[in-house]
Each structure stands twice: as structure tokens, then as C-alpha cells.
Amino acid sequence: MSTVFPPEPQLREADQDQPLYVPIKRRSFFMYAGATAGATALVLAGCSKSDSSPGTIDVGAGDAGILNYAYALEQLEAAFYAQVKTGGYYTGSTITAAEKQIFDDLALHEAIHRDFLKAALQANSITPLKDLTPNFSSIDFGSRDQVLAAAQTFEDTGVAAYNGAGRFITSNANLALAGKIVSVEARHAALIRDLRSYGKFVDSDVVNTFSPSAPATAGVYSGEGTPNSTPNTQGNGNPGPGQERSKRPPQILQAVNNFLADGSKLSAGSFA
Amino acid sequence: MNFFQIISEIEKVDPEVYDRLDSRRSVFKHMTGLGQKLTAAALPLAVGAIFNKVYAQTPVGAGVNDVLNFALKLEYLESYFYNNRTTVTGLSSQNSAALALIATDEANHVTFLRAVLGNNAIAAPATTGVFDYTAKGTFPTALTSANTYLAIAQAFEDTGVRAYKGAAPLVMTNKTVLTAALNIHSVEARHASHIRAMRRAGASSTTPAQGVPASPYTTAPKSWIVGNDGGGPVPGTTDAIYGAGNNSNAPSGITFESEANTTQGGVALSSSTITSIAFPSGSTAFSEAFDEGLDVGSVARIANLFSVTGNYFG
């Protein structure tokens, strides 16, 4: 995290001996938060309300925040596929046997993810987010093209979201859980993409398919968080070749909020 | 013992090592103080204590470099395999084009891992004489028959997904390496999904995404894993790819279950715990909805089937 906000020797020296409760100026607060991974959650916990966009629900901090973030995404996916199954494309006569089977499975998988996450949150004494109200008014559920395009958006978003959230997870078990779900989302995403246009399962909008003309210099890969990289607080900056273009929670939620009704829109102030 | 040389070496794969040692770098001030008080003989002990604290989550013998070099070996196995695709007959043009995309990704994974490891990377294996895609004669048509080739491709991709998933907690101290590993992990899962679609519709199909899966999913698999997938593409040889792993060195809080696992995070998944949707009788969705990680040792045993010496992967 510290390389997102380049070390500033003066500041680091100055704040080194300050206790957490000393009031600090707003600008330096963010540097402090960026430079102090361990204290970020603690500090932001007291600030998340004022830092959230007005009218949004913040997913919270720490592993609990990431689990609720995942729960929110799975709520949206499950609601989407439930609506697909009642829509004109799925119930019509032109859908292929393969596509019907796929949407049956996706609806079950995402409902399982959603209900499981809620149960897991409750089992760990974490209050789950409220039931979110989706807004799918931009999607024509009678149109194969529109349903597949929206499904691709949700699945690709899910993959990018879990990948980008991994760095904020602190427990082995929660990281493993996220990993168990994200690869299934990636399997979904690849297949939906292939249904739309065969061979797009790893297209360049989701995977860095760039082939370096010469091997990168040993030890100086210029990815996120490494020296010489361009700081990028949103996505994964510059994913290495052959890698998924993952995204940080605020960037994901910007897109996801388009599919949530007012009063259900989300923010993730702790996970920039 | 050159302390700063060691730190410098670690920094190559762990750019955040300084922050991890101490987010204010004041450890180096402390070291100065320590150095004045400690004899030369005692210093290595003090350094060891610092590293134990910093890398306590990493099991002995599974340092970040070791994990990355193991991943690199797997990527070489895959990359060389896809480079051999041109001798395979029976693929539709759509499927040949798709394999070329996967070949590019795998070559990129090799390039990336070599760049991260720098001088610590293993030597590149020779393109012949190291890997045996026939698995010592088990698959004589490995590089000629499309059906055999795709069966092995599925085995490699599904193993790759399990390997990266299982290893993620071993590199989670380094957020850069972790994010990269996750970003490779999902690409392997996309590949696995695609190869499975190809097998489902048939290697020569010109509408490869429209295949219909058929139980027990050995020759016409879903794009996700149903239970143990009937033992995988070649039951008897590929069973371990879908089976349980070895938990003896598992990071705390983690077990390596079989792909048929339906208990996640202590929650037993069934139609009585997941009630918001109606499940068809005998639904396999509870296992399909989650993939499972696999430990390094179990992955090595699977990969060694394709090693000429039988122990390239350790």
C-alpha cells in the first residue's frame, strides 16, 4: 500500500511518533492511512460515514467489510439470474438447450453464493448488509443479446472484484473462501463470453493479452505496488501479461451502483 | 552475514518487505541500537527473530520464491504443451484459434513469473526431454489426437486453478505477488471453462459453446466441476486432480477438500440451508458453486506424471 502514496521522508519522520488520536490535517490523513496498513481500518472506521458518498451504504472495514462487499455483489447476481429465468428470452422458444442449462446452473450457483455468504456472516457475528433492491430497468430480459451482455458484465465484474479485494483480506480462511468462489465466477464469465462471441473468453478487455517483445528486465516488473510503477489507486494499475484486469472495490461499486436502486447504492471507503 | 543483502534479495519478490519489517523503517534504528549491544554471534539470532515475526504465516520450506518457482514450473509445463498444439489433428478452426489464445496467456505467465523472480528464477527447462505429455505412454496420442489433447489440457487447467488457489495464502504477506497470483488464477479458470466447453461440444465442433453436458461428465463436462467430475477426463489417471489434498502442511484455517465438497466455512450447503431458490432433486449445484484449492505436494504428484524423471516438480 505504501507505494500508492510514495514515501515522504519528512511526513514519515514527523508522524512517526504521533499517537493515533492526535488530530491531523485532512490531506495528510490520507497519506497516513495509505502508509499505515495496520491502522487504516481502525482510523477509517471512525471516518467512513463522512468519507462515503452521500446516500450510500458503506460495506464496512476489514475482512467483515470484504465479506459484506462480496455478499452485495452476490445479491445482485442472484437477483439478476432470478429475473432472467422469468424473462422472455429464457422462457421463449428460441433459447438453445445448452443456454437453458447454463442459466439454470448460474441461477443456482449465485443463489448459493448469496445465501452462503449471509449465513457465513451471521455465523461470525457480523451483521449482513440489508437486502439490496436492484434496478435492472436498463436490461431487456426478452433479448438474448441484452441478457448475455448483462450476464457478462456481472460475471466479469465479479471476477475483477474478488481479485481486487484479495489484498484487503487478512485471514487465510477468508482468502481461501474468496478463491473458491472467484474461479467459479471466472468459469461463468468465460462461458458467457464464448456464448456471445466464440473465442472471447480471455479477450483483452478483461485479460492483459499484451505480449512483450522482449522479456521484462529481471526483477523490475513494473506492476502495481512495485518500484517505478505509476500509482493507481483504482484498479490493478498495470496487470502483468496474461493476467486478469482486477479492480479495487470503489471502482467496482461505481459500475455496480448503476444496477442498484436509490437507497441500495454502495460505497467502500475503507478499500481504496 | 550481510543483513542488507538479505533484505535486498527479499525485496525483489517482496517490494513491501521494508514496510513489513516495520512500517516506519525504524527497525533499522532499532538495529543500530541492537548492534551496539549485541555481539556479532548474537546478531543472526536477532535477525532470525525479526524474520520469524514477519513471515510467520509462511510454512517452513514454502517461501515466496519457492512458491513462485513452483508456479513457474507448472506454467512451463502448460506453455510447452500449448506450443505443441500444431501437431494435433481434428480441431475446428474456431478451436485452433482458441488454443492459440491460451498459448499466448501461458507464455505470458512464464514471462511474468521470470520477471518477478529475477535472478532467483529456475533455469528454463529444455523444450524436449523434461516433460512427457504421454505420461510415460499412458496417452500415446497426447500431441496428435484432438480428444486426447483436450483431455490433457483440461487436466492441466483444472490443476492450475487448484494450485494457484491453494498457494494464495502462502504469498498473502506480499500484496503485489498475491494480486498477481489471483489475476493468473482467474485466467486459468477461464481457460478451464473454455477447454471444458470444447470437450463438451466436441473438438471439431464449429459451435463449441453450444454443447450439452452429460453425466458423469468425463467426456462432456460442464464448464464448472460437478462433484469429482467422474474422476476427470481420464478416470483412473486424473482422479487426483479432483480429489482431496494433504492437510499436514496446510496454512492455519485451511483444508484441501475434494472438489465434491459441499461444506464451506462451516456451513453445510443443501436445499435445507439454501432456501431462497428451489433445487431440482439430486442437484449438484452445491459442489459446482465452489472450487477447491490443492496443496503444493499434491499438485507436484499430479504434475510429475508428465515429468520424464518423475520428480521435476519436487
Side-chain angles (χ1 to χ4, degrees):
Chain A
M1 293 188 78
S2 60
T3 48
V4 173
F5 301 92
E8 298 202 353
Q10 271 188 320
L11 174 72
R12 294 175 77 108
E13 285 303 316
D15 69 10
Q16 179 178 314
D17 299 311
Q18 279 180 3
L20 278 176
Y21 52 79
V22 172
I24 47 179
K25 282 183 291 192
R26 189 173 173 81
R27 184 171 176 277
S28 59
F29 162 75
F30 283 104
M31 294 188 176
Y32 192 97
T36 317
T40 305
L42 178 65
V43 174
L44 284 181
C47 306
S48 58
K49 283 192 177 66
S50 59
D51 289 322
S52 301
S53 310
T56 61
I57 307 161
D58 200 277
V59 296
D63 281 20
I66 293 296
L67 288 174
N68 256 324
Y69 171 61
Y71 176 50
L73 298 174
E74 299 293 355
Q75 281 195 47
L76 195 59
E77 285 192 284
F80 170 73
Y81 289 115
Q83 195 157 337
V84 167
K85 289 196 68 172
T86 62
Y89 154 61
Y90 178 89
T91 58
S93 57
T94 56
I95 187 170
T96 65
E99 289 173 13
K100 202 151 196 165
Q101 159 82 55
I102 288 162
F103 280 105
D104 285 344
D105 279 0
L106 298 192
L108 293 176
H109 296 175
E110 304 302 356
I112 290 170
H113 289 166
R114 175 191 59 196
D115 291 10
F116 159 73
L117 281 164
K118 186 173 191 178
L121 283 160
Q122 288 168 332
N124 286 290
S125 307
I126 302 163
T127 307
L129 280 185
K130 70 170 191 172
D131 291 350
L132 301 173
T133 306
N135 174 3
F136 297 133
S137 59
S138 62
I139 305 164
D140 174 359
F141 285 86
S143 155
R144 175 181 187 268
D145 285 353
Q146 288 208 22
V147 168
L148 287 179
Q152 177 183 318
T153 298
F154 287 123
E155 298 295 349
D156 283 342
T157 299
V159 179
Y162 278 102
N163 280 2
R167 65 190 300 115
F168 299 111
I169 297 175
T170 59
S171 97
N172 286 340
N174 288 332
L175 181 66
L177 259 182
K180 288 167 178 233
I181 294 175
V182 69
S183 56
V184 174
E185 304 287 357
R187 290 172 187 271
H188 293 170
L191 182 54
I192 293 288
R193 284 177 156 265
D194 278 336
L195 282 177
R196 290 188 74 203
S197 179
Y198 188 72
K200 296 289 188 189
F201 60 113
V202 286
D203 210 11
S204 58
D205 60 329
V206 282
V207 176
N208 179 1
T209 52
F210 173 73
S211 298
S213 54
T217 310
V220 290
Y221 161 69
S222 59
E224 181 192 50
T226 55
N228 310 322
S229 70
T230 306
N232 183 328
T233 57
Q234 288 297 303
N236 187 34
N238 177 21
Q243 295 182 25
E244 188 92 29
R245 300 185 189 279
S246 60
K247 298 184 177 79
R248 299 280 179 90
Q251 191 183 4
I252 290 286
L253 291 180
Q254 225 172 1
V256 161
N257 279 339
N258 292 329
F259 298 101
L260 289 170
D262 286 344
S264 286
K265 294 188 191 296
L266 301 168
S267 57
S270 301
F271 303 119
Chain B
M1 165 174 244
N2 186 335
F3 178 75
F4 289 98
Q5 180 61 32
I6 292 170
I7 300 282
S8 166
E9 287 298 314
I10 292 173
E11 195 183 21
K12 284 178 188 163
V13 292
D14 185 355
E16 297 174 351
V17 62
Y18 288 106
D19 291 335
R20 200 180 327 290
L21 284 166
D22 185 315
S23 63
R24 294 287 178 276
R25 302 195 187 203
S26 57
V27 68
F28 298 108
K29 284 190 208 159
H30 301 157
M31 285 299 297
T32 312
L34 271 176
Q36 288 164 354
K37 289 172 196 153
L38 297 173
T39 65
L43 189 57
L45 262 181
V47 171
I50 290 170
F51 280 108
N52 280 340
K53 185 182 163 204
V54 170
Y55 291 102
Q57 283 173 300
T58 308
V60 177
V64 172
N65 272 356
D66 292 342
V67 172
L68 293 179
N69 266 322
F70 182 72
L72 180 56
K73 287 181 175 180
L74 290 174
E75 296 290 357
Y76 272 118
L77 175 73
E78 289 189 287
S79 181
Y80 290 1
F81 176 72
Y82 288 110
N83 287 347
N84 276 305
R85 71 188 182 281
T86 49
T87 56
V88 177
T89 56
L91 291 161
S92 64
S93 61
Q94 290 91 336
N95 283 339
S96 291
L99 289 177
L101 294 175
I102 299 179
T104 300
D105 287 343
E106 304 298 3
N108 276 334
H109 294 165
V110 167
T111 303
F112 169 76
L113 289 170
R114 292 208 71 88
V116 173
L117 280 158
N119 295 333
N120 295 309
I122 54 162
T127 52
T128 57
V130 176
F131 304 126
D132 174 4
Y133 296 111
T134 74
K136 301 175 189 67
T138 308
F139 311 117
T141 57
L143 300 178
T144 52
S145 148
N147 286 342
T148 314
Y149 186 83
L150 293 182
I152 295 170
Q154 180 186 321
F156 285 168
E157 298 295 351
D158 282 340
T159 301
V161 174
R162 295 198 73 178
Y164 276 100
K165 198 190 317 295
L170 301 178
V171 298
M172 74 186 291
T173 49
N174 182 324
K175 301 310 178 193
T176 303
V177 172
L178 172 66
T179 301
L182 295 175
N183 289 344
I184 296 176
H185 169 243
S186 61
V187 171
E188 301 288 350
R190 286 175 183 269
H191 294 169
S193 170
H194 185 90
I195 297 280
R196 285 166 162 266
M198 287 166 74
R199 295 190 67 233
R200 187 161 69 235
S204 62
S205 172
T206 54
T207 54
Q210 293 289 345
V212 176
S215 178
Y217 307 112
T218 52
T219 54
K222 294 186 177 184
S223 282
W224 25 94
I225 303 170
V226 183
N228 283 338
D229 249 11
V234 190
T237 302
T238 53
D239 302 59
I241 295 170
Y242 304 94
N246 178 350
N247 295 320
S248 58
N249 275 325
S252 67
I254 291 181
T255 54
F256 299 111
E257 306 292 341
S258 117
E259 288 286 0
N261 179 34
T262 55
T263 297
Q264 302 295 349
V267 181
L269 304 173
S270 73
S271 54
S272 51
T273 53
I274 308 293
T275 55
S276 69
I277 192 169
F279 289 91
S281 147
S283 177
T284 49
F286 305 106
S287 100
E288 295 168 21
F290 294 83
D291 282 344
E292 301 294 329
L294 201 54
D295 60 289
V296 169
S298 297
V299 172
R301 264 192 300 285
I302 293 164
N304 276 334
L305 292 173
F306 300 93
S307 149
V308 168
T309 60
N311 63 3
Y312 177 74
F313 294 92

